[in-house]
Amino acid sequence: SVVDAVAGAVEVQRELAEKNAELPGHRRMDFRIGINLGDVVVKDDAIYGDGVNIAARMESLAEPGGICLSGKAYEEVKNKLPLEYDNLGEKSVKNIAEPVRVYRVLTKPGSAAHRVVRAKAAVTGRWRTIALVAIVALLIGGGALAGWLYLRSAPPPEDVAADEGPALPDKPSIAVLPFVNMSGEPEQEYFADGISEDIITDLSKISGLFVVARNSSFTFKGLSVDVIEVGRKLGVRYILEGSVRKAGDRIRITAQLIDTTTGYHLWSERYDRELTDVFAMQDEITAEIISNLKIQVTMGESERIRRNTTESLEAWEYYRKGRELYWRFDFGTFHLAQEMFKKALEHDAEFAVAMVGLGHVYLDAARFGWPTDVPDPLARANDLAQQALNADQTLAEPHDLLAYVHLIRGQYDRALAAAQRAVAMEPNIADYHKTLADVRNLSGLHEEALEAMMKAMRLSPVPPDAYLSLLGRIYYSVGRPEDAIPPLKEVYERTGWDAAAYLLIASHVAAGRIDQAKSLAIKDPLFFNSYFFSKYNAFKHQADLQRFLDDLALAGVE
């Protein structure tokens, strides 16, 4: 009975979720369950065939604690249990010739089965009569009984405390995972990502909430995640996750808010509306989060959240495409990002954040010497930042852009003022703290730079390489080379960046490790002059630069 198999799977996951809730994170065991209906071949004590293979593939597609059904199994149960299902589309799976349609079991709209404990009454009692053969043939579970028994009885390992992740902040904390693109079209990824980013941006405007940066929460994109583990790694109490399906002029968004200390959901909803209602749906999701977390929002914050940066869906879509291209930080997509931002402004000439996006493109052109359509890209970046402020004085983004424009021009005091203004306006944005740290470091305020960098790292606990490289430079500047070496080494080994290599060489020398410093290879000997002597990365004080040059000279780097 497929009906009994699904009911039994929900009961198994419900009971395991309840048991897990009583245990610390390192002792929990999550199972995945896949269900399929099909013929099997029985030989001795084992079963074979496509029926089993497809069930195994369904299991691998399920999230930890979740349940996935094949299309055949779904057709048997879709109207027979008080459950709902999320159509994940057709998937090509290993060792199966034809794609298989996959459904995820939900116990209510938008919530995974293992996150809701109310399903028990609806399904308890039905599955007790399932024959052992049916369970073996239809359910393939992840994990092992011996492992489960061991974890329940084993004492906590001694090093657990060291791997507990960042401590929870003293106010409600949340990470927004990238919403899953359910449209079946990879080119629609920008749309789903854009909705996630907009929600992050709105939540970041609330002073009573701690919001993890996009560049950390998006490291989980495309992964089957355990929200409890994600919460531990990011150091947050709550996770928002969801999915987006865009089809023609309709859009469906599912969202669920989960408490990472228990794995249970606090709120879930499914929105199915006209595409033109997408901004209203984002506002409603933000409002639900605020309500469920019982956060006090000031009048000013409420106004800033409700203020739409554009009313044009076309402008928003071009802006989001531009952002997706810009985030690649690649010369190959540089001009494409520029064109997308320009098209966004063609649809809405007052779209301030699109002005800032285009300004960052010109800023990078000035920093890296990329050709553009203007003779002075830095001046163009400055003009766009000013235009954005004229269009919307509530935005912090233009101040962040201006901080780098002033820094590159050697106007350190103005750069500091702009960076501090951005942080004051939106203290939840990790990038603004990172900009402030960068400006302070190059201005000679090294201890203050480290303070700002630590705030950026807490807001982005899975930091990108640029964060780690800057952290290494700041540690070197404050005379802590031993602390500078690990992040710089990580960046250098992963990327081979010459900037990280030079900083790592100097840090090894300052730490008394001349041999290690001399063993590092420089790919482009001309890079040093074009980078560290350029006006785009210039120290305000000659003494800071000279110390760096002296350490490099000791390693034989001229």
Side-chain angles (χ1 to χ4, degrees):
S1 167
V2 181
V3 173
D4 285 346
V6 174
V10 171
E11 173 68 359
V12 166
Q13 298 292 43
R14 181 209 60 77
E15 193 159 323
L16 286 173
E18 288 187 344
K19 297 295 185 183
N20 279 339
E22 301 167 0
L23 300 171
H26 66 278
R27 294 182 61 194
R28 293 170 180 167
M29 175 74 79
D30 285 314
F31 286 73
R32 295 188 295 264
I33 296 179
I35 302 177
N36 178 47
L37 174 64
D39 290 337
V40 299
V41 176
V42 180
K43 183 178 181 181
D44 299 326
D45 293 328
I47 55 174
Y48 306 91
D50 282 353
V52 176
N53 290 339
I54 293 174
R57 301 288 82 79
M58 295 303 99
E59 177 266 325
S60 67
L61 293 170
E63 60 181 332
I67 305 164
C68 276
L69 316 180
S70 69
K72 287 183 178 180
Y74 168 77
E75 290 300 325
E76 294 293 319
V77 300
K78 60 183 179 181
N79 297 318
K80 298 177 182 178
L81 286 171
L83 304 171
E84 292 201 17
Y85 310 88
D86 198 0
N87 185 348
L88 302 184
E90 291 191 342
K91 305 288 185 181
S92 295
V93 296
K94 183 178 179 181
N95 296 331
I96 304 298
E98 299 293 328
V100 179
R101 184 163 293 279
V102 183
Y103 293 82
R104 181 174 60 172
V105 177
L106 305 174
T107 50
K108 62 186 295 186
S111 82
H114 69 297
R115 295 186 186 134
V116 180
V117 298
R118 299 184 183 89
K120 182 174 182 179
V123 298
T124 300
R126 290 192 54 87
W127 72 285
R128 305 295 184 185
T129 59
I130 298 176
L132 179 60
V133 162
I135 295 174
V136 174
L138 297 173
L139 304 181
I140 307 293
L145 179 60
W148 171 249
L149 293 174
Y150 168 76
L151 285 176
R152 290 197 57 171
S153 59
E158 294 180 2
D159 61 347
V160 163
D163 194 35
E164 283 298 312
L168 290 177
D170 57 1
K171 56 185 175 181
S173 52
I174 188 170
V176 179
L177 299 185
F179 279 29
V180 178
N181 170 29
M182 304 293 293
S183 303
E185 301 173 3
E187 62 271 18
Q188 293 296 327
E189 287 291 323
Y190 80 92
F191 195 92
D193 289 351
I195 289 173
S196 308
E197 285 192 50
D198 276 3
I199 295 171
I200 293 172
T201 299
D202 285 344
L203 293 175
S204 296
K205 296 173 182 176
I206 304 170
S207 58
L209 186 62
F210 179 94
V211 185
V212 162
R214 177 243 192 237
N215 50 32
S216 280
S217 60
F218 269 56
T219 60
F220 298 97
K221 182 177 174 64
L223 304 178
S224 179
V225 298
D226 175 353
V227 292
I228 294 176
E229 176 64 18
V230 172
R232 184 200 63 77
K233 190 168 186 177
L234 298 181
V236 294
R237 173 74 182 270
Y238 304 102
I239 293 287
L240 181 74
E241 64 176 9
S243 64
V244 177
R245 183 189 301 279
K246 179 185 174 189
D249 60 354
R250 301 289 299 180
I251 181 172
R252 174 182 292 177
I253 299 178
T254 65
Q256 48 267 350
L257 182 65
I258 303 143
D259 186 331
T260 66
T261 63
T262 62
Y264 297 153
H265 85 290
L266 300 178
W267 162 83
S268 67
E269 189 58 79
R270 181 170 66 190
Y271 305 85
D272 195 342
R273 301 183 191 170
E274 297 289 334
L275 184 58
T276 52
D277 287 337
V278 64
F279 301 141
M281 287 189 277
Q282 290 176 178
D283 290 344
E284 290 176 31
I285 292 171
T286 301
E288 288 287 356
I289 294 168
I290 293 170
S291 174
N292 278 275
L293 299 187
K294 298 179 174 59
I295 298 169
Q296 295 296 320
V297 179
T298 68
M299 184 67 71
E301 291 169 346
S302 181
E303 286 296 322
R304 293 177 67 195
I305 293 170
R306 286 199 300 267
R307 184 192 299 270
N308 287 332
T309 53
T310 183
E311 298 295 336
S312 169
L313 181 59
E314 292 83 1
W316 182 86
E317 289 197 80
Y318 277 120
Y319 169 70
R320 282 301 165 192
K321 289 177 181 178
R323 287 274 292 180
E324 193 274 332
L325 291 164
Y326 178 78
W327 272 103
R328 299 180 190 180
F329 293 108
D330 181 76
F331 178 69
T333 58
F334 167 76
H335 291 288
L336 293 175
Q338 178 177 278
E339 290 307 310
M340 291 300 103
F341 290 134
K342 286 182 175 180
K343 285 183 179 294
L345 291 169
E346 289 174 7
H347 285 276
D348 183 353
E350 297 298 309
F351 193 5
V353 294
M355 297 175 193
V356 176
L358 185 58
H360 275 290
V361 170
Y362 285 116
L363 176 72
D364 286 351
R367 294 178 67 187
F368 303 119
W370 292 341
T372 66
D373 56 350
V374 296
D376 189 345
L378 190 61
R380 181 64 177 140
N382 181 80
D383 291 344
L384 285 162
Q386 296 295 345
Q387 290 174 29
L389 284 175
N390 291 336
D392 188 347
Q393 294 185 1
T394 70
L395 289 178
E397 288 98 321
H399 297 286
D400 182 66
L401 174 57
L402 283 171
Y404 274 111
V405 171
H406 296 320
L407 183 65
I408 290 171
R409 288 175 168 173
Q411 300 168 336
Y412 294 96
D413 290 342
R414 296 184 69 182
L416 279 169
Q420 288 167 346
R421 178 63 176 157
V423 168
M425 292 179 71
E426 294 195 11
N428 263 321
I429 303 295
D431 282 350
Y432 299 166
H433 290 280
K434 182 256 184 186
T435 298
L436 180 59
D438 201 356
V439 173
R440 283 176 171 174
N441 179 232
L442 293 176
S443 299
L445 304 172
H446 305 312
E447 293 290 348
E448 294 89 338
L450 184 59
E451 178 185 357
M453 198 63 215
M454 288 298 99
K455 292 179 180 178
M457 297 286 286
R458 179 59 188 92
L459 286 162
S460 186
V462 186
D465 292 324
Y467 278 48
L468 293 173
S469 183
L470 177 57
L471 178 65
R473 191 222 291 169
I474 294 171
Y475 271 135
Y476 171 79
S477 298
V478 298
R480 294 170 56 179
E482 293 285 359
D483 292 323
I485 290 170
L488 291 171
K489 183 178 180 182
E490 181 179 341
V491 174
Y492 175 68
E493 291 179 348
R494 182 164 52 240
T495 68
W497 287 354
D498 278 335
Y502 280 110
L503 288 165
L504 185 55
I505 290 170
S507 297
H508 275 306
V509 171
R513 302 175 180 178
I514 302 295
D515 291 340
Q516 290 94 322
K518 290 182 177 181
S519 69
L520 294 173
I522 302 297
K523 293 186 298 182
D524 181 5
L526 300 178
F527 174 84
F528 184 85
N529 287 339
S530 65
Y531 188 83
F532 290 103
F533 278 112
S534 77
K535 59 184 178 181
Y536 306 121
N537 299 281
F539 287 103
K540 179 180 180 179
H541 302 295
Q542 180 63 29
D544 288 328
L545 177 61
Q546 192 59 51
R547 175 183 165 222
F548 185 42
L549 296 175
D550 290 344
D551 282 337
L552 290 175
L554 290 173
V557 178
E558 299 293 338

